[in-house]
Amino acid sequence: NAGVMQNPRHLVRRRGQEARLRCSPMKGHSHVYWYRQLPEEGLKFMVYLQKENIIDESGMPKERFSAEFPKEGPSILRIQQVVRGDSAAYFCASSPQGDTDTQYFGPGTRLTVL
Amino acid sequence: TQLLEQSPQFLSIQEGENLTVYCNSSSVFSSLQWYRQEPGEGPVLLVTVVTGGEVKKLKRLTFQFGDARKDSSLHITAAQPGDTGLYLCAGPSSNDYKLSFGAGTTVTVRA
């Protein structure tokens, strides 16, 4: 069974460019969560999605950040006009159901903004 | 937001020694989870504790959930270099699906 897959694993962008991070959940999982890990900080919740629906985006900055989980294909976390402060590790997790179901994490995408 | 504080932030010990990592909060959690994260990888779930006072063992790792469900500890006996990593505790928010993480304890076991 393949685990949660994320790509790219490393992404370098210059200030003002766009970053697209992809997450393929584990087979059979329809719930996806995105977290951000800043240096020497814990993971912070960003957004929770089910297929074609954003359930909770309360942890996501209001500007420049968006997320989707289409009916077909991976979940996408999109950051427009990146700034240096966006440099972080972005992790995706998935679960078969929501609520208290165990979340399984992917290997993360390390975003570096020059 | 329910906050989880972990201590110590860093821990460096010799192979064969024991260590304990703490996770504390002023809030009650329905459950707490412990993860281990290696450099360049995502967190891997070690255990979930649910009942106040619960003790779970995973080989040389012992996890305890406080009676009041506000704190937890991870004890490693006879640590090995393979135990090196970032240990994170996490608990669900009132929404349940939104995990709150501690900042983590970086454990280094020297051979």
Side-chain angles (χ1 to χ4, degrees):
Chain A
N1 264 344
V4 177
M5 298 174 67
Q6 290 188 247
N7 67 82
R9 294 292 304 274
H10 299 274
L11 183 61
V12 179
R13 285 288 178 266
R14 296 191 180 279
R15 281 178 295 170
Q17 292 184 320
E18 178 180 287
R20 279 184 180 242
L21 288 61
R22 295 174 182 77
C23 168
S24 296
M26 286 180 70
K27 188 176 181 180
H29 289 193
S30 59
H31 298 251
V32 166
Y33 317 80
W34 285 93
Y35 292 81
R36 178 166 65 174
Q37 186 175 39
L38 293 168
E40 306 211 2
E41 291 189 22
L43 282 79
K44 299 280 194 267
F45 169 84
M46 297 181 74
V47 61
Y48 164 37
L49 310 103
Q50 294 179 28
K51 284 284 186 181
E52 299 184 279
N53 284 307
I54 297 174
I55 306 302
D56 182 346
E57 56 182 348
S58 60
M60 203 152 65
K62 297 271 189 286
E63 297 178 355
R64 303 186 298 106
F65 285 71
S66 62
E68 62 177 13
F69 189 15
K71 186 177 180 181
E72 300 290 338
S75 174
I76 307 280
L77 179 66
R78 182 182 176 204
I79 312 172
Q80 294 177 291
Q81 299 175 331
V82 295
V83 300
R84 288 216 174 113
D86 296 332
S87 294
Y90 292 83
F91 291 96
C92 166
S94 73
S95 66
Q97 300 178 34
D99 294 333
T100 57
D101 224 10
T102 298
Q103 297 178 22
Y104 297 87
F105 283 81
T109 294
R110 271 86 185 155
L111 172 65
T112 302
V113 179
L114 301 177
Chain B
T1 304
Q2 296 170 290
L3 296 176
L4 286 165
E5 295 186 358
Q6 289 189 241
S7 62
Q9 187 177 358
F10 299 97
L11 194 54
S12 180
I13 61 170
Q14 201 69 33
E15 182 177 4
E17 294 182 336
N18 302 332
L19 68 97
T20 302
V21 175
Y22 300 94
C23 175
N24 295 294
S25 175
S26 57
S27 303
V28 175
F29 282 88
S30 57
S31 65
L32 277 180
Q33 301 174 355
W34 283 93
Y35 292 82
R36 194 178 104 193
Q37 184 180 15
E38 299 192 19
E41 297 297 329
V44 175
L45 180 67
L46 296 174
V47 78
T48 300
V49 285
V50 179
T51 307
E54 181 178 6
V55 176
K56 279 192 174 178
K57 292 195 174 186
L58 188 66
K59 296 183 181 178
R60 293 176 294 99
L61 278 61
T62 301
F63 304 86
Q64 187 161 6
F65 200 12
D67 291 339
R69 291 185 289 128
K70 291 183 178 181
D71 56 87
S72 182
S73 64
L74 157 60
H75 182 79
I76 302 179
T77 303
Q80 299 176 2
D83 295 324
T84 293
L86 176 66
Y87 289 83
L88 298 162
C89 67
S93 68
S94 55
N95 303 87
D96 288 334
Y97 53 77
K98 192 185 299 184
L99 288 176
S100 295
F101 280 83
T105 295
T106 300
V107 171
T108 303
V109 183
R110 304 184 304 275

Coordinates of all heavy atoms in Angstrom, one line a residue, chain B residues 12-68:
Chain B
S12 N 20.4 15.4 24.4 CA 21.5 14.6 23.8 C 22.0 13.6 24.9 O 22.4 14.1 26.0 CB 22.6 15.5 23.4 OG 23.7 14.8 22.8
I13 N 22.0 12.4 24.6 CA 22.4 11.4 25.6 C 23.3 10.3 24.9 O 23.3 10.2 23.7 CB 21.2 10.7 26.2 CG1 20.3 9.9 25.2 CG2 20.3 11.6 27.0 CD1 19.3 9.0 25.8
Q14 N 23.9 9.5 25.7 CA 24.8 8.4 25.3 C 23.9 7.2 25.1 O 22.9 7.0 25.8 CB 25.8 8.2 26.3 CG 27.1 7.5 25.8 CD 27.9 8.3 24.9 OE1 28.0 9.5 25.0 NE2 28.6 7.7 24.0
E15 N 24.3 6.4 24.1 CA 23.6 5.1 23.9 C 23.6 4.3 25.2 O 24.5 4.2 25.9 CB 24.4 4.3 22.8 CG 23.8 3.0 22.5 CD 24.6 2.3 21.4 OE1 25.6 2.8 20.9 OE2 24.1 1.2 20.9
G16 N 22.4 3.7 25.4 CA 22.2 2.9 26.7 C 21.6 3.7 27.8 O 21.1 3.1 28.7
E17 N 21.6 5.0 27.7 CA 20.9 5.8 28.8 C 19.4 5.8 28.6 O 18.9 5.5 27.5 CB 21.5 7.2 28.8 CG 23.0 7.2 29.2 CD 23.5 8.7 29.3 OE1 22.9 9.5 28.6 OE2 24.5 8.9 30.0
N18 N 18.7 6.3 29.6 CA 17.3 6.4 29.5 C 16.9 7.9 29.4 O 17.7 8.8 29.7 CB 16.6 5.9 30.8 CG 16.9 4.5 31.1 OD1 17.2 3.7 30.2 ND2 16.9 4.1 32.4
L19 N 15.8 8.2 28.8 CA 15.3 9.6 28.7 C 13.8 9.7 28.8 O 13.1 8.7 28.5 CB 15.8 10.2 27.3 CG 15.2 9.6 26.1 CD1 14.0 10.4 25.6 CD2 16.2 9.4 24.9
T20 N 13.4 10.9 29.2 CA 11.9 11.1 29.3 C 11.6 12.5 28.6 O 12.4 13.5 28.8 CB 11.5 11.2 30.7 OG1 11.8 9.9 31.3 CG2 10.0 11.4 30.8
V21 N 10.6 12.5 27.8 CA 10.1 13.7 27.1 C 8.7 14.0 27.6 O 7.9 13.1 27.8 CB 10.1 13.5 25.6 CG1 9.5 14.7 24.9 CG2 11.5 13.2 25.1
Y22 N 8.5 15.3 27.9 CA 7.2 15.7 28.5 C 6.4 16.5 27.5 O 6.9 17.3 26.7 CB 7.4 16.5 29.8 CG 8.2 15.7 30.8 CD1 9.6 15.8 30.9 CD2 7.5 14.8 31.7 CE1 10.3 15.0 31.8 CE2 8.2 14.1 32.6 CZ 9.6 14.2 32.7 OH 10.3 13.4 33.6
C23 N 5.1 16.4 27.7 CA 4.1 17.1 26.8 C 3.0 17.6 27.8 O 2.3 16.8 28.4 CB 3.5 16.2 25.8 SG 2.2 17.0 24.8
N24 N 2.9 19.0 27.9 CA 2.0 19.5 28.9 C 1.0 20.5 28.3 O 1.4 21.2 27.4 CB 2.7 20.2 30.1 CG 3.6 19.2 30.8 OD1 3.1 18.3 31.5 ND2 4.9 19.3 30.7
S25 N -0.2 20.6 28.9 CA -1.2 21.6 28.5 C -2.0 22.0 29.6 O -2.2 21.2 30.6 CB -2.0 21.0 27.3 OG -3.0 21.9 27.0
S26 N -2.6 23.1 29.5 CA -3.6 23.6 30.5 C -5.0 23.1 30.1 O -6.0 23.3 30.9 CB -3.6 25.1 30.7 OG -3.8 25.7 29.4
S27 N -5.1 22.5 28.9 CA -6.4 22.1 28.4 C -6.5 20.6 28.5 O -5.5 19.9 28.5 CB -6.6 22.5 26.9 OG -6.4 23.9 26.8
V28 N -7.7 20.1 28.6 CA -8.0 18.7 28.6 C -8.1 18.2 27.1 O -8.8 18.8 26.3 CB -9.3 18.4 29.3 CG1 -9.6 16.9 29.2 CG2 -9.2 18.8 30.8
F29 N -7.5 17.1 26.8 CA -7.6 16.5 25.5 C -8.3 15.2 25.6 O -8.1 14.4 26.5 CB -6.2 16.3 24.9 CG -5.5 17.6 24.4 CD1 -4.8 18.4 25.3 CD2 -5.7 17.9 23.1 CE1 -4.2 19.6 24.8 CE2 -5.1 19.1 22.6 CZ -4.4 19.9 23.5
S30 N -9.1 14.9 24.5 CA -9.8 13.6 24.5 C -8.8 12.5 24.2 O -9.0 11.3 24.6 CB -10.8 13.7 23.4 OG -10.2 14.0 22.1
S31 N -7.7 12.9 23.6 CA -6.6 11.9 23.3 C -5.3 12.7 23.0 O -5.4 13.9 22.7 CB -7.0 11.0 22.1 OG -7.0 11.7 20.9
L32 N -4.2 12.0 23.1 CA -2.9 12.6 22.7 C -2.2 11.6 21.8 O -2.3 10.4 22.0 CB -2.1 13.0 23.9 CG -2.4 14.3 24.5 CD1 -1.4 14.6 25.7 CD2 -2.2 15.5 23.5
Q33 N -1.5 12.1 20.8 CA -0.7 11.2 20.0 C 0.8 11.6 20.0 O 1.1 12.8 20.2 CB -1.2 11.4 18.5 CG -2.7 11.0 18.3 CD -3.2 11.3 17.0 OE1 -2.5 11.9 16.1 NE2 -4.4 10.9 16.7
W34 N 1.6 10.6 19.9 CA 3.0 10.9 19.8 C 3.5 10.5 18.4 O 3.2 9.4 17.9 CB 3.8 10.1 20.9 CG 3.7 10.7 22.2 CD1 2.8 10.4 23.2 CD2 4.6 11.7 22.8 NE1 3.0 11.1 24.3 CE2 4.1 11.9 24.1 CE3 5.7 12.4 22.3 CZ2 4.7 12.8 25.0 CZ3 6.3 13.3 23.2 CH2 5.8 13.5 24.5
Y35 N 4.3 11.4 17.8 CA 4.9 11.1 16.5 C 6.4 11.2 16.6 O 6.9 11.9 17.5 CB 4.4 12.2 15.5 CG 3.0 12.1 15.1 CD1 2.0 12.7 15.9 CD2 2.6 11.5 13.9 CE1 0.7 12.7 15.5 CE2 1.2 11.5 13.5 CZ 0.3 12.1 14.3 OH -1.0 12.1 14.0
R36 N 7.1 10.5 15.7 CA 8.5 10.7 15.5 C 8.8 11.2 14.1 O 8.2 10.6 13.1 CB 9.3 9.4 15.8 CG 10.8 9.7 16.0 CD 11.5 8.4 16.3 NE 12.2 8.0 15.1 CZ 12.8 6.8 14.9 NH1 12.7 5.9 15.9 NH2 13.5 6.5 13.9
Q37 N 9.6 12.2 14.0 CA 9.9 12.7 12.7 C 11.4 12.7 12.4 O 12.1 13.3 13.3 CB 9.3 14.2 12.5 CG 9.5 14.8 11.2 CD 9.0 16.2 11.1 OE1 8.7 16.8 12.1 NE2 8.8 16.7 9.9
E38 N 11.8 12.1 11.3 CA 13.3 12.1 11.0 C 13.5 13.3 10.0 O 12.6 13.7 9.3 CB 13.7 10.8 10.5 CG 13.4 9.7 11.5 CD 14.1 8.4 11.1 OE1 15.0 8.4 10.2 OE2 13.7 7.3 11.6
P39 N 14.7 13.7 9.9 CA 15.1 14.9 9.0 C 14.6 14.6 7.6 O 14.9 13.5 7.1 CB 16.6 15.0 9.1 CG 16.9 14.4 10.5 CD 15.9 13.3 10.7
G40 N 13.9 15.5 7.0 CA 13.5 15.4 5.6 C 12.3 14.5 5.4 O 11.9 14.2 4.3
E41 N 11.7 14.1 6.5 CA 10.5 13.2 6.4 C 9.3 13.7 7.1 O 9.4 14.7 7.9 CB 10.9 11.8 6.9 CG 12.0 11.1 6.2 CD 11.6 10.8 4.7 OE1 10.4 10.6 4.4 OE2 12.5 10.8 3.9
G42 N 8.2 13.1 6.9 CA 7.0 13.5 7.7 C 6.9 12.8 9.0 O 7.6 11.8 9.2
P43 N 6.0 13.3 9.9 CA 5.8 12.6 11.2 C 5.2 11.2 11.0 O 4.3 11.0 10.2 CB 4.8 13.5 11.9 CG 4.8 14.8 11.1 CD 5.2 14.5 9.7
V44 N 5.7 10.3 11.8 CA 5.2 8.9 11.8 C 4.5 8.7 13.2 O 5.2 8.9 14.2 CB 6.3 7.9 11.5 CG1 5.7 6.5 11.6 CG2 6.9 8.1 10.1
L45 N 3.3 8.2 13.2 CA 2.6 8.0 14.4 C 3.2 6.8 15.2 O 3.4 5.8 14.6 CB 1.1 7.7 14.1 CG 0.2 7.5 15.3 CD1 0.1 8.7 16.1 CD2 -1.2 7.0 14.9
L46 N 3.4 7.1 16.5 CA 3.9 6.0 17.3 C 2.8 5.4 18.1 O 2.7 4.2 18.3 CB 5.0 6.6 18.3 CG 6.3 7.2 17.6 CD1 7.2 7.8 18.7 CD2 7.0 6.1 16.9
V47 N 2.0 6.3 18.7 CA 1.0 5.8 19.6 C -0.1 6.8 19.8 O 0.1 8.0 19.7 CB 1.6 5.4 21.0 CG1 1.8 6.6 21.8 CG2 0.7 4.4 21.8
T48 N -1.3 6.4 20.2 CA -2.4 7.3 20.6 C -2.8 6.8 22.0 O -3.1 5.6 22.2 CB -3.6 7.2 19.7 OG1 -3.2 7.6 18.4 CG2 -4.7 8.1 20.1
V49 N -2.9 7.8 23.0 CA -3.4 7.4 24.3 C -4.7 8.2 24.5 O -4.9 9.3 24.1 CB -2.4 7.9 25.4 CG1 -1.2 6.9 25.4 CG2 -1.9 9.3 25.2
V50 N -5.6 7.4 25.1 CA -7.0 7.9 25.1 C -7.6 8.0 26.5 O -8.3 9.0 26.8 CB -7.9 7.0 24.3 CG1 -9.4 7.4 24.3 CG2 -7.5 6.9 22.9
T51 N -7.2 7.1 27.4 CA -7.8 7.1 28.7 C -6.9 7.7 29.7 O -5.6 7.4 29.7 CB -8.1 5.6 29.1 OG1 -8.8 5.0 28.1 CG2 -8.8 5.6 30.5
G52 N -7.4 8.6 30.6 CA -6.6 9.2 31.7 C -5.9 8.1 32.5 O -6.5 7.1 32.9
G53 N -4.6 8.3 32.7 CA -3.8 7.3 33.5 C -3.3 6.1 32.6 O -2.5 5.3 33.1
E54 N -3.6 6.1 31.3 CA -3.2 5.0 30.5 C -1.7 4.9 30.3 O -1.1 6.0 30.2 CB -3.9 5.2 29.1 CG -3.7 4.1 28.1 CD -4.4 4.3 26.8 OE1 -5.1 5.3 26.7 OE2 -4.4 3.4 25.9
V55 N -1.2 3.7 30.2 CA 0.2 3.5 29.9 C 0.3 2.5 28.8 O -0.4 1.5 28.8 CB 1.0 2.9 31.1 CG1 2.4 2.6 30.8 CG2 0.9 3.8 32.3
K56 N 1.0 2.9 27.7 CA 1.2 2.0 26.6 C 2.7 1.8 26.4 O 3.5 2.7 26.5 CB 0.6 2.6 25.3 CG -0.9 2.4 25.2 CD -1.4 2.8 23.9 CE -2.9 2.5 23.7 NZ -3.4 2.8 22.4
K57 N 3.0 0.6 26.0 CA 4.4 0.3 25.7 C 4.6 -0.2 24.3 O 3.8 -0.9 23.8 CB 4.9 -0.8 26.7 CG 5.0 -0.4 28.1 CD 5.8 -1.3 29.0 CE 6.0 -0.8 30.4 NZ 6.9 -1.6 31.2
L58 N 5.7 0.3 23.7 CA 6.1 0.0 22.3 C 7.5 -0.4 22.4 O 8.4 0.5 22.3 CB 5.8 1.2 21.4 CG 5.9 0.9 19.9 CD1 4.9 0.0 19.4 CD2 5.8 2.3 19.2
K59 N 7.9 -1.6 22.6 CA 9.2 -2.1 22.8 C 9.9 -1.3 23.9 O 9.5 -1.4 25.1 CB 10.0 -2.0 21.5 CG 9.5 -2.9 20.4 CD 10.3 -2.8 19.1 CE 9.7 -3.7 18.0 NZ 10.4 -3.6 16.7
R60 N 10.9 -0.5 23.6 CA 11.6 0.2 24.7 C 11.0 1.6 25.0 O 11.5 2.4 25.8 CB 13.1 0.4 24.3 CG 13.9 -0.9 24.2 CD 15.3 -0.6 23.7 NE 15.3 -0.1 22.3 CZ 15.4 1.1 21.9 NH1 15.5 2.1 22.8 NH2 15.3 1.4 20.6
L61 N 9.9 1.9 24.3 CA 9.2 3.2 24.5 C 8.0 3.0 25.4 O 7.2 2.1 25.2 CB 8.7 3.8 23.2 CG 9.8 4.5 22.4 CD1 11.0 3.6 22.0 CD2 9.1 5.1 21.1
T62 N 7.8 3.8 26.4 CA 6.7 3.8 27.3 C 6.0 5.1 27.3 O 6.6 6.2 27.5 CB 7.1 3.4 28.8 OG1 7.7 2.2 28.8 CG2 5.8 3.4 29.7
F63 N 4.7 5.1 27.0 CA 3.9 6.4 26.9 C 2.9 6.4 28.0 O 2.3 5.4 28.3 CB 3.1 6.4 25.6 CG 4.0 6.3 24.4 CD1 4.4 5.0 23.9 CD2 4.5 7.4 23.7 CE1 5.2 4.9 22.8 CE2 5.3 7.3 22.6 CZ 5.7 6.0 22.1
Q64 N 2.7 7.5 28.6 CA 1.8 7.7 29.7 C 0.9 8.9 29.5 O 1.4 10.0 29.1 CB 2.5 7.8 31.1 CG 1.6 7.8 32.3 CD 2.3 7.4 33.5 OE1 3.5 7.3 33.6 NE2 1.5 7.2 34.6
F65 N -0.4 8.8 29.7 CA -1.3 9.8 29.7 C -1.7 10.2 31.1 O -2.1 9.4 31.9 CB -2.6 9.4 28.9 CG -3.4 10.5 28.3 CD1 -3.0 11.8 28.2 CD2 -4.7 10.2 27.7 CE1 -3.8 12.8 27.7 CE2 -5.5 11.2 27.2 CZ -5.0 12.5 27.1
G66 N -1.6 11.5 31.4 CA -1.9 11.9 32.8 C -3.4 11.7 33.2 O -4.3 11.6 32.3
D67 N -3.6 11.5 34.5 CA -4.9 11.2 34.9 C -6.0 12.2 34.5 O -7.1 11.9 34.2 CB -4.9 11.1 36.5 CG -4.2 9.9 37.0 OD1 -4.0 9.0 36.2 OD2 -3.7 10.0 38.2
A68 N -5.6 13.5 34.5 CA -6.5 14.6 34.1 C -6.5 14.8 32.6 O -7.2 15.7 32.1 CB -6.1 15.9 34.8

